Amino acid sequence: MAAPARGFLLLGGRLGRVRAQGGSVFRGFRSSGVRHDAVIISGTEMAKQIQKEIQRGVESWISLGNRRPHLSIILVGDNPASHTYVRKKIRAASAVGICSEIILKPKDVSQEELLDITDQLNMDPRVSGILVQLPLPDHVDERTVCNGIAPEKDVDGFHIINIGRLCLDQHSLIPATASAVWEIIKRTGIETFGKNVVVAGRSKNVGMPIAMLLHTDGEHERPGGDATVTIAHRYTPKEQLKTHTQLADIIIVAAGIPKLITSDMVKEGAAVIDVGINYVHDPVTGKTKLVGDVDFEESGHQPMVYPHPSMVLNETKHPGTQAYCLSLMLKKERKKERKNLQGHLYCNTLWGQKRK
């Protein structure tokens, strides 16, 4: 689904190399004395494990006589990146036994037609989850279209009801990238209780939901991380950002700025999760390459020898995101055996009010 995650070591004076999970080689700093290797997490390997769990869950679900989960993706226009992302989602769904379809519409499709499509999919009992691939053309209001998806079928978690329930610490479908980061933190045992966290990025789809998950009460209906969270963004002065990150136990970077975080901005023992996506020109190959927001390899800073390892994950191509998106579908299907989400009880009323 994605290239192996890249890891970075924050530990010394000269560049060294370390072999990480799956045999991939990562560059990093090491000291001239005792070497303290960072713990390098492969997002790809973690995604594979999650996919195996989802696949088993899907087969178990079907063995009980239930309908196979079905994902409908609405794709508008001919944006190459959007088409690439959708193909990956279709492959990911197929790999775990989830049916899927692409509803392809031209870039001049009207907003009303898109809302008609979401209405039809909302009422279709065979459809378990719906995704509208963003961005949409300028003449279409993305918020209106996202709110046109029934909350219980909103796999992206962008509907206003799902976002509202997230902010109220209630059960909801959570945006997939934020869910993937939360899953990474839980599975790797990164401690969040009482810790200082910096989230670099304030988007409503990534930065904001990550911050909500991390700072909220761990004993609420939808447990949070009980962390103290600082949100920064692309306009936060670099020195001010550095002040915050040097105090942080966990840094999550999703600002869309290459080389935003360098090794001198990270304290010993901190965990860094990079979910930035940036396309930059590679002067060596002359081609465009995909990079994150974290840059330790080219930093001129000579870091101290840290007594504790740092933990860095680069989730640039979001292998965990795609896997977790599918797990949300499966969880939603299982909930049909019980009562639907509270939002389902009144969403049809909202649709009627919206369309009048």
Side-chain angles (χ1 to χ4, degrees):
M1 287 176 57
R6 298 176 302 146
F8 306 93
L9 298 180
L10 314 180
L11 303 170
R14 69 177 186 271
L15 282 173
R17 296 172 72 84
V18 61
R19 190 165 298 275
Q21 297 179 16
S24 300
V25 175
F26 299 94
R27 293 173 59 86
F29 294 103
R30 75 177 179 188
S31 68
S32 58
V34 178
R35 180 171 176 175
H36 298 273
D37 285 351
V39 178
I40 301 177
I41 310 164
S42 170
T44 301
E45 291 303 312
M46 190 177 296
K48 288 179 180 178
Q49 178 59 38
I50 296 173
Q51 287 171 335
K52 290 178 182 178
E53 295 169 8
I54 297 169
Q55 187 176 31
R56 290 193 294 267
V58 168
E59 296 310 315
S60 175
W61 171 256
I62 295 172
S63 69
L64 296 174
N66 298 297
R67 180 185 285 117
R68 185 176 294 277
H70 180 99
L71 172 65
S72 294
I73 302 177
I74 302 172
L75 176 59
V76 178
D78 51 9
N79 183 311
S82 292
H83 280 254
T84 297
Y85 291 143
V86 167
R87 284 196 298 271
K88 288 183 177 181
K89 291 170 184 175
I90 293 295
R91 287 200 296 267
S94 176
V96 298
I98 293 177
C99 297
S100 60
E101 65 175 337
I102 301 175
I103 301 173
L104 182 61
K105 306 304 294 185
K107 62 182 179 181
D108 59 352
V109 64
S110 69
Q111 179 171 297
E112 191 65 25
E113 182 177 351
L114 290 177
L115 291 173
D116 287 339
I117 293 171
T118 59
D119 283 346
Q120 293 170 15
L121 296 175
N122 289 339
M123 295 183 291
D124 190 340
R126 73 185 179 88
V127 175
S128 313
I130 305 169
L131 286 171
V132 177
Q133 182 63 44
L134 304 180
L136 294 173
D138 291 340
H139 68 279
V140 177
D141 183 69
E142 291 183 353
R143 173 53 54 201
T144 299
V145 173
C146 288
N147 285 340
I149 299 172
E152 73 277 9
K153 293 189 178 185
D154 171 33
V155 178
D156 265 333
F158 294 165
H159 191 284
I160 191 171
I161 288 178
N162 282 322
I163 294 296
R165 292 176 65 85
L166 169 65
C167 294
L168 293 173
D169 304 349
Q170 297 176 348
H171 291 303
S172 66
L173 292 176
I174 300 169
T177 302
S179 295
V181 170
W182 184 238
E183 190 71 8
I184 288 164
I185 288 172
K186 290 191 296 182
R187 286 176 180 253
T188 53
I190 299 174
E191 181 60 60
T192 61
F193 185 87
K195 300 298 183 179
N196 289 320
V197 178
V198 169
V199 177
R202 59 180 175 181
S203 75
K204 298 302 179 282
N205 301 339
V206 181
M208 185 276 286
I210 289 173
M212 294 302 301
L213 288 169
L214 284 166
H215 95 272
T216 48
D217 196 318
E219 296 185 0
H220 283 182
E221 177 184 323
R222 191 268 303 140
D226 284 309
T228 300
V229 179
T230 299
I231 303 177
H233 49 78
R234 63 173 57 243
Y235 300 120
T236 302
K238 190 66 177 282
E239 286 305 310
Q240 182 178 334
L241 175 63
K242 183 176 179 179
T243 298
H244 290 301
T245 58
Q246 287 180 333
L247 295 173
D249 304 297
I250 303 169
I251 303 171
I252 300 168
V253 199
I257 304 175
K259 303 181 181 182
L260 177 65
I261 303 297
T262 51
S263 59
D264 59 314
M265 300 171 69
V266 183
K267 74 175 185 179
E268 56 188 79
V272 182
I273 300 177
D274 183 0
V275 292
I277 295 180
N278 307 285
Y279 292 94
V280 299
H281 176 74
D282 188 339
V284 177
T285 65
K287 299 179 180 180
T288 299
K289 66 177 181 179
L290 185 62
V291 300
D293 292 350
V294 177
D295 174 40
F296 296 128
E297 294 188 36
E298 297 179 8
S299 171
H301 173 68
Q302 300 297 315
M304 297 171 58
V305 179
Y306 295 155
H308 303 292
S310 295
M311 188 158 10
V312 182
L313 167 70
N314 183 294
E315 179 74 353
T316 297
K317 294 190 178 180
H318 299 283
T321 297
Q322 296 177 17
Y324 206 84
C325 177
L326 298 175
S327 74
L328 291 177
M329 281 189 59
L330 183 58
K331 288 179 181 178
K332 188 213 48 96
E333 282 292 304
R334 285 171 173 164
K335 286 180 181 178
K336 283 184 178 179
E337 292 263 300
R338 304 187 297 270
K339 293 182 179 180
N340 287 333
L341 290 171
Q342 182 177 346
H344 181 56
L345 299 177
Y346 52 90
C347 66
N348 289 334
T349 301
L350 292 180
W351 307 150
Q353 293 174 349
K354 169 181 69 65
R355 301 297 297 279
K356 288 181 180 178

